[in-house]
Amino acid sequence: MKYWLLGLLLLAPLSGHSAAATADEQGRWTINMRDVDIRDFTEQVASISGQTLVLDPRVKGKVSVVSQTPLRLSEVYQLFLSVLSTHGYAVVNQDGQARIIPDSEART
């Protein structure tokens, strides 16, 4: 029931762009988002995963993610990391929180 309600909430368009993240009965997610703000995508992943994600103010941009096959939670997170990397950002875990920062800063 929890996934069904969350899935309905995630179907609402973000910032007027095409966005959807839906869950099936097994807790797998199908994510389809076109030209959404990377911050909105991060918010969706935080909602799905239950993680605390802290965004650096320099994190900006539009992303598109198209998933035809339902993904397990671990796969959603790997997809998230891939999208961040593609756009030049990285996740650094610090004090039990995941901080999203520019990749160049994460390497130092």
Side-chain angles (χ1 to χ4, degrees):
M1 179 83 160
K2 173 181 148 186
Y3 291 114
W4 180 78
L5 290 173
L6 186 55
L8 281 179
L9 291 174
L10 297 176
L11 284 173
L14 300 172
S15 305
H17 297 285
S18 174
T22 57
D24 65 13
E25 293 95 27
Q26 289 86 33
R28 295 178 303 172
W29 297 88
T30 301
I31 299 173
N32 290 298
M33 301 178 171
R34 298 185 199 288
D35 295 320
V36 296
D37 189 281
I38 197 166
R39 293 172 170 274
D40 292 330
F41 175 60
T42 300
E43 185 177 330
Q44 295 299 307
V45 171
S47 293
I48 291 168
S49 68
Q51 285 188 290
T52 299
L53 302 172
V54 180
L55 285 150
D56 185 285
R58 297 170 287 180
V59 175
K60 295 179 180 159
K62 299 282 185 185
V63 301
S64 292
V65 178
V66 180
S67 166
Q68 298 299 320
T69 306
L71 305 170
R72 293 184 307 270
L73 182 58
S74 62
E75 294 170 319
V76 169
Y77 194 71
Q78 287 303 314
L79 174 67
F80 174 64
L81 294 176
S82 177
V83 168
L84 289 178
S85 177
T86 298
H87 291 283
Y89 302 111
V91 176
V92 176
N93 292 307
Q94 184 178 34
D95 300 325
Q97 296 178 341
R99 293 181 51 230
I100 292 96
I101 60 175
D103 189 46
S104 59
E105 186 175 316
R107 290 186 217 160
T108 59

